[in-house]
Amino acid sequence: MLDQADGTVHFGLGDYLSLQAWTRQHYLLRISLCFFGGAFAAAFLALVISGISLKDSFASLISNWIGYLPIFLIGFIVVVLLPFPLTILAWFTKKLPSEMLFSFDDSKFRYSSGGHEISIAWSNFRSISQTAKAYFLRSDQLILRLPKRAFSAQQRANFEEMAFSKIIRS
């Protein structure tokens, strides 16, 4: 087994958009519940603050839900879709790194990108999943997308053996 594999990933705009799409797909339910719960709580609080009784506030909110629905839907669409044009803007203004150097061994995964060097023990990753084109490694504060094109066939086999034995698959 390879003790350490080194590689370089050259990121394109498609890589960043793929990461945005993957996170939206995997976190859409959480985003939905947070957004609609927050919107409902804000609308309810606004009615209560206006001096209407609690019972009347709730009744008003339910009866006017149809009126609030378009506002909620527009806000939800903005929350879900806004990261895509912002990612494109960041890419064209050169605010996103275009290269990542990485290495891994039995104890940790290391990478360097955009002037930052990060080392993460395998035990700190919460899960790993993959698509046809990339691996997604998740820790508590990070979602890392590794395009499969960054690996040689041998590196890919070694990485899969290492990562899938040390990280829970999702």
Side-chain angles (χ1 to χ4, degrees):
M1 187 168 117
L2 192 65
D3 290 323
Q4 184 172 336
D6 295 308
T8 302
V9 179
H10 296 282
F11 292 116
L13 178 58
D15 292 311
Y16 285 104
L17 293 175
S18 294
L19 177 59
Q20 290 295 341
W22 185 87
T23 57
R24 294 299 166 277
Q25 177 186 356
H26 284 78
Y27 294 104
L28 190 59
L29 179 60
R30 183 182 302 171
I31 292 168
S32 303
L33 292 175
C34 289
F35 182 79
F36 285 115
F40 183 81
F44 186 72
L45 186 60
L47 288 171
V48 170
I49 289 173
S50 69
I52 300 173
S53 72
L54 194 61
K55 181 180 177 185
D56 291 339
S57 294
F58 190 68
S60 175
L61 191 60
I62 297 300
S63 66
N64 293 318
W65 185 250
I66 300 289
Y68 294 122
L69 191 59
I71 296 168
F72 292 153
L73 289 177
I74 290 168
F76 179 71
I77 289 168
V78 167
V79 166
V80 170
L81 297 180
L82 188 61
F84 291 98
L86 291 178
T87 298
I88 292 168
L89 179 65
W91 175 258
F92 284 112
T93 57
K94 308 286 187 211
K95 299 205 187 285
L96 296 174
S98 61
E99 183 178 85
M100 178 177 78
L101 304 172
F102 67 90
S103 66
F104 60 90
D105 58 28
D106 283 338
S107 62
K108 60 188 163 229
F109 181 87
R110 292 177 298 281
Y111 74 94
S112 173
S113 182
H116 302 285
E117 291 186 24
I118 311 252
S119 179
I120 305 169
W122 289 111
S123 60
N124 289 335
F125 285 109
R126 288 187 310 152
S127 67
I128 182 172
S129 57
Q130 65 178 321
T131 64
K133 294 185 177 185
Y135 301 103
F136 294 89
L137 295 102
R138 288 184 278 181
S139 70
D140 288 335
Q141 299 178 359
L142 174 74
I143 299 174
L144 184 62
R145 181 182 188 273
L146 280 174
K148 290 181 178 180
R149 68 177 185 273
F151 297 93
S152 68
Q154 184 62 44
Q155 285 175 320
R156 191 170 167 182
N158 291 337
F159 176 78
E160 286 182 0
E161 179 184 341
M162 180 79 59
F164 291 137
S165 69
K166 297 188 177 284
I167 304 173
I168 300 168
R169 292 177 84 169
S170 63

Short mmCIF file of all heavy atoms in Angstrom, two decimals, residues 36-72:
data_model
loop_
_atom_site.label_atom_id
_atom_site.label_comp_id
_atom_site.label_asym_id
_atom_site.label_seq_id
_atom_site.Cartn_x
_atom_site.Cartn_y
_atom_site.Cartn_z
N PHE A 36 -38.24 28.16 5.77
CA PHE A 36 -39.68 28.28 6.01
C PHE A 36 -40.00 28.40 7.50
O PHE A 36 -40.91 29.14 7.87
CB PHE A 36 -40.44 27.10 5.38
CG PHE A 36 -40.54 27.23 3.88
CD1 PHE A 36 -39.92 26.33 3.06
CD2 PHE A 36 -41.24 28.27 3.29
CE1 PHE A 36 -40.00 26.45 1.68
CE2 PHE A 36 -41.33 28.41 1.92
CZ PHE A 36 -40.70 27.48 1.11
N GLY A 37 -39.25 27.72 8.35
CA GLY A 37 -39.46 27.88 9.79
C GLY A 37 -39.15 29.29 10.24
O GLY A 37 -39.90 29.91 11.01
N GLY A 38 -38.04 29.84 9.75
CA GLY A 38 -37.68 31.22 10.09
C GLY A 38 -38.67 32.22 9.55
O GLY A 38 -39.05 33.19 10.23
N ALA A 39 -39.13 32.00 8.32
CA ALA A 39 -40.10 32.92 7.72
C ALA A 39 -41.43 32.86 8.47
O ALA A 39 -42.05 33.90 8.73
CB ALA A 39 -40.30 32.57 6.25
N PHE A 40 -41.85 31.67 8.84
CA PHE A 40 -43.10 31.52 9.58
C PHE A 40 -42.97 32.20 10.95
O PHE A 40 -43.87 32.92 11.38
CB PHE A 40 -43.43 30.03 9.75
CG PHE A 40 -44.74 29.79 10.45
CD1 PHE A 40 -45.93 29.86 9.75
CD2 PHE A 40 -44.77 29.49 11.81
CE1 PHE A 40 -47.14 29.64 10.39
CE2 PHE A 40 -45.97 29.27 12.45
CZ PHE A 40 -47.17 29.35 11.74
N ALA A 41 -41.85 31.98 11.63
CA ALA A 41 -41.64 32.58 12.94
C ALA A 41 -41.61 34.11 12.84
O ALA A 41 -42.19 34.80 13.68
CB ALA A 41 -40.34 32.06 13.55
N ALA A 42 -40.96 34.64 11.81
CA ALA A 42 -40.89 36.09 11.63
C ALA A 42 -42.27 36.68 11.36
O ALA A 42 -42.64 37.71 11.94
CB ALA A 42 -39.93 36.44 10.49
N ALA A 43 -43.05 36.03 10.51
CA ALA A 43 -44.40 36.52 10.21
C ALA A 43 -45.27 36.45 11.46
O ALA A 43 -46.03 37.39 11.76
CB ALA A 43 -45.01 35.70 9.08
N PHE A 44 -45.17 35.36 12.20
CA PHE A 44 -45.96 35.20 13.42
C PHE A 44 -45.56 36.25 14.46
O PHE A 44 -46.41 36.88 15.09
CB PHE A 44 -45.76 33.78 13.96
CG PHE A 44 -46.62 33.46 15.13
CD1 PHE A 44 -47.98 33.25 14.97
CD2 PHE A 44 -46.07 33.35 16.41
CE1 PHE A 44 -48.78 32.95 16.05
CE2 PHE A 44 -46.87 33.05 17.48
CZ PHE A 44 -48.23 32.84 17.32
N LEU A 45 -44.27 36.47 14.61
CA LEU A 45 -43.78 37.46 15.57
C LEU A 45 -44.25 38.86 15.18
O LEU A 45 -44.65 39.65 16.05
CB LEU A 45 -42.25 37.41 15.63
CG LEU A 45 -41.58 38.28 16.68
CD1 LEU A 45 -42.05 37.89 18.08
CD2 LEU A 45 -40.08 38.15 16.58
N ALA A 46 -44.24 39.17 13.89
CA ALA A 46 -44.71 40.48 13.43
C ALA A 46 -46.18 40.69 13.79
O ALA A 46 -46.58 41.78 14.20
CB ALA A 46 -44.51 40.62 11.93
N LEU A 47 -46.98 39.65 13.64
CA LEU A 47 -48.40 39.76 13.99
C LEU A 47 -48.58 39.93 15.50
O LEU A 47 -49.40 40.72 15.95
CB LEU A 47 -49.16 38.54 13.49
CG LEU A 47 -49.36 38.47 11.97
CD1 LEU A 47 -49.93 37.12 11.58
CD2 LEU A 47 -50.27 39.60 11.50
N VAL A 48 -47.81 39.18 16.29
CA VAL A 48 -47.93 39.27 17.75
C VAL A 48 -47.49 40.65 18.23
O VAL A 48 -48.14 41.27 19.08
CB VAL A 48 -47.10 38.15 18.43
CG1 VAL A 48 -47.00 38.37 19.92
CG2 VAL A 48 -47.72 36.80 18.15
N ILE A 49 -46.39 41.18 17.67
CA ILE A 49 -45.88 42.49 18.07
C ILE A 49 -46.88 43.59 17.72
O ILE A 49 -46.97 44.60 18.41
CB ILE A 49 -44.51 42.75 17.42
CG1 ILE A 49 -43.47 41.86 18.09
CG2 ILE A 49 -44.10 44.22 17.54
CD1 ILE A 49 -42.10 41.90 17.44
N SER A 50 -47.66 43.37 16.67
CA SER A 50 -48.62 44.40 16.25
C SER A 50 -49.77 44.56 17.24
O SER A 50 -50.61 45.44 17.08
CB SER A 50 -49.16 44.09 14.86
OG SER A 50 -49.98 42.94 14.89
N GLY A 51 -49.81 43.71 18.27
CA GLY A 51 -50.81 43.85 19.31
C GLY A 51 -52.00 42.92 19.18
O GLY A 51 -52.91 42.95 20.00
N ILE A 52 -52.00 42.09 18.18
CA ILE A 52 -53.10 41.14 17.99
C ILE A 52 -52.89 39.99 18.98
O ILE A 52 -51.76 39.59 19.27
CB ILE A 52 -53.12 40.61 16.54
CG1 ILE A 52 -53.32 41.78 15.56
CG2 ILE A 52 -54.19 39.57 16.35
CD1 ILE A 52 -53.19 41.37 14.11
N SER A 53 -53.98 39.46 19.49
CA SER A 53 -53.87 38.34 20.44
C SER A 53 -53.22 37.14 19.76
O SER A 53 -53.21 37.02 18.53
CB SER A 53 -55.25 37.95 20.97
OG SER A 53 -55.99 37.30 19.95
N LEU A 54 -52.67 36.27 20.57
CA LEU A 54 -51.98 35.10 20.05
C LEU A 54 -52.90 34.25 19.18
O LEU A 54 -52.53 33.81 18.10
CB LEU A 54 -51.42 34.29 21.23
CG LEU A 54 -50.41 33.22 20.91
CD1 LEU A 54 -49.17 33.84 20.27
CD2 LEU A 54 -50.00 32.48 22.17
N LYS A 55 -54.12 34.04 19.64
CA LYS A 55 -55.08 33.23 18.90
C LYS A 55 -55.42 33.89 17.56
O LYS A 55 -55.42 33.24 16.51
CB LYS A 55 -56.35 33.04 19.73
CG LYS A 55 -57.40 32.19 19.05
CD LYS A 55 -58.62 32.04 19.92
CE LYS A 55 -59.69 31.24 19.20
NZ LYS A 55 -60.92 31.17 19.95
N ASP A 56 -55.66 35.20 17.57
CA ASP A 56 -55.97 35.91 16.33
C ASP A 56 -54.76 35.98 15.40
O ASP A 56 -54.91 35.94 14.17
CB ASP A 56 -56.46 37.33 16.63
CG ASP A 56 -57.84 37.34 17.29
OD1 ASP A 56 -58.57 36.33 17.16
OD2 ASP A 56 -58.17 38.36 17.94
N SER A 57 -53.54 36.09 15.98
CA SER A 57 -52.32 36.11 15.16
C SER A 57 -52.17 34.82 14.38
O SER A 57 -51.89 34.82 13.18
CB SER A 57 -51.09 36.30 16.04
OG SER A 57 -51.07 37.54 16.65
N PHE A 58 -52.37 33.70 15.08
CA PHE A 58 -52.25 32.41 14.43
C PHE A 58 -53.33 32.24 13.36
O PHE A 58 -53.05 31.80 12.25
CB PHE A 58 -52.32 31.29 15.47
CG PHE A 58 -51.97 29.95 14.93
CD1 PHE A 58 -50.66 29.68 14.53
CD2 PHE A 58 -52.92 28.95 14.81
CE1 PHE A 58 -50.33 28.44 14.01
CE2 PHE A 58 -52.60 27.71 14.29
CZ PHE A 58 -51.29 27.45 13.90
N ALA A 59 -54.56 32.63 13.68
CA ALA A 59 -55.65 32.53 12.71
C ALA A 59 -55.38 33.40 11.49
O ALA A 59 -55.62 33.00 10.35
CB ALA A 59 -56.97 32.92 13.37
N SER A 60 -54.86 34.61 11.72
CA SER A 60 -54.54 35.52 10.61
C SER A 60 -53.43 34.95 9.74
O SER A 60 -53.50 35.04 8.51
CB SER A 60 -54.13 36.88 11.16
OG SER A 60 -53.71 37.73 10.13
N LEU A 61 -52.44 34.38 10.36
CA LEU A 61 -51.32 33.81 9.61
C LEU A 61 -51.80 32.66 8.73
O LEU A 61 -51.43 32.58 7.55
CB LEU A 61 -50.24 33.34 10.58
CG LEU A 61 -48.91 32.95 9.97
CD1 LEU A 61 -48.28 34.13 9.24
CD2 LEU A 61 -47.97 32.46 11.05
N ILE A 62 -52.64 31.80 9.29
CA ILE A 62 -53.16 30.67 8.52
C ILE A 62 -54.05 31.16 7.38
O ILE A 62 -53.92 30.72 6.24
CB ILE A 62 -53.95 29.69 9.43
CG1 ILE A 62 -53.02 29.07 10.48
CG2 ILE A 62 -54.63 28.61 8.62
CD1 ILE A 62 -51.85 28.29 9.92
N SER A 63 -54.93 32.10 7.64
CA SER A 63 -55.85 32.57 6.59
C SER A 63 -55.13 33.37 5.52
O SER A 63 -55.57 33.41 4.38
CB SER A 63 -56.98 33.40 7.21
OG SER A 63 -56.47 34.59 7.77
N ASN A 64 -54.03 34.01 5.87
CA ASN A 64 -53.29 34.81 4.89
C ASN A 64 -52.08 34.08 4.31
O ASN A 64 -51.27 34.69 3.62
CB ASN A 64 -52.82 36.12 5.54
CG ASN A 64 -53.98 37.02 5.87
OD1 ASN A 64 -54.91 37.15 5.09
ND2 ASN A 64 -53.94 37.62 7.05
N TRP A 65 -51.98 32.80 4.59
CA TRP A 65 -50.83 32.03 4.11
C TRP A 65 -50.67 32.13 2.60
O TRP A 65 -49.57 32.21 2.09
CB TRP A 65 -50.97 30.57 4.55
CG TRP A 65 -49.78 29.75 4.19
CD1 TRP A 65 -49.70 28.78 3.25
CD2 TRP A 65 -48.47 29.83 4.76
NE1 TRP A 65 -48.44 28.25 3.20
CE2 TRP A 65 -47.66 28.89 4.12
CE3 TRP A 65 -47.90 30.62 5.75
CZ2 TRP A 65 -46.33 28.70 4.44
CZ3 TRP A 65 -46.56 30.43 6.05
CH2 TRP A 65 -45.80 29.48 5.41
N ILE A 66 -51.77 32.14 1.88
CA ILE A 66 -51.72 32.26 0.42
C ILE A 66 -51.02 33.56 0.03
O ILE A 66 -50.25 33.59 -0.91
CB ILE A 66 -53.15 32.21 -0.19
CG1 ILE A 66 -53.82 30.89 0.15
CG2 ILE A 66 -53.11 32.44 -1.69
CD1 ILE A 66 -53.27 29.69 -0.55
N GLY A 67 -51.27 34.63 0.76
CA GLY A 67 -50.61 35.90 0.47
C GLY A 67 -49.13 35.88 0.80
O GLY A 67 -48.32 36.52 0.13
N TYR A 68 -48.77 35.14 1.85
CA TYR A 68 -47.36 35.06 2.24
C TYR A 68 -46.58 34.09 1.36
O TYR A 68 -45.37 34.22 1.21
CB TYR A 68 -47.22 34.60 3.70
CG TYR A 68 -47.74 35.57 4.72
CD1 TYR A 68 -48.74 35.19 5.61
CD2 TYR A 68 -47.23 36.85 4.81
CE1 TYR A 68 -49.21 36.07 6.56
CE2 TYR A 68 -47.69 37.74 5.76
CZ TYR A 68 -48.69 37.35 6.63
OH TYR A 68 -49.15 38.21 7.57
N LEU A 69 -47.25 33.12 0.80
CA LEU A 69 -46.59 32.05 0.04
C LEU A 69 -45.70 32.58 -1.09
O LEU A 69 -44.55 32.14 -1.21
CB LEU A 69 -47.62 31.04 -0.47
CG LEU A 69 -47.05 29.76 -1.04
CD1 LEU A 69 -46.22 29.03 0.01
CD2 LEU A 69 -48.19 28.86 -1.51
N PRO A 70 -46.17 33.50 -1.95
CA PRO A 70 -45.27 33.98 -3.01
C PRO A 70 -44.00 34.65 -2.47
O PRO A 70 -42.91 34.46 -3.02
CB PRO A 70 -46.12 34.99 -3.79
CG PRO A 70 -47.53 34.64 -3.47
CD PRO A 70 -47.51 34.05 -2.09
N ILE A 71 -44.12 35.38 -1.37
CA ILE A 71 -42.95 36.02 -0.77
C ILE A 71 -41.98 34.96 -0.27
O ILE A 71 -40.77 35.04 -0.49
CB ILE A 71 -43.38 36.97 0.38
CG1 ILE A 71 -44.22 38.11 -0.18
CG2 ILE A 71 -42.17 37.48 1.14
CD1 ILE A 71 -44.93 38.92 0.87
N PHE A 72 -42.52 33.93 0.40
CA PHE A 72 -41.67 32.85 0.89
C PHE A 72 -40.99 32.12 -0.26
O PHE A 72 -39.81 31.80 -0.19
CB PHE A 72 -42.48 31.85 1.72
CG PHE A 72 -42.97 32.38 3.03
CD1 PHE A 72 -44.11 31.86 3.60
CD2 PHE A 72 -42.32 33.41 3.70
CE1 PHE A 72 -44.58 32.35 4.82
CE2 PHE A 72 -42.77 33.90 4.90
CZ PHE A 72 -43.92 33.36 5.46
#
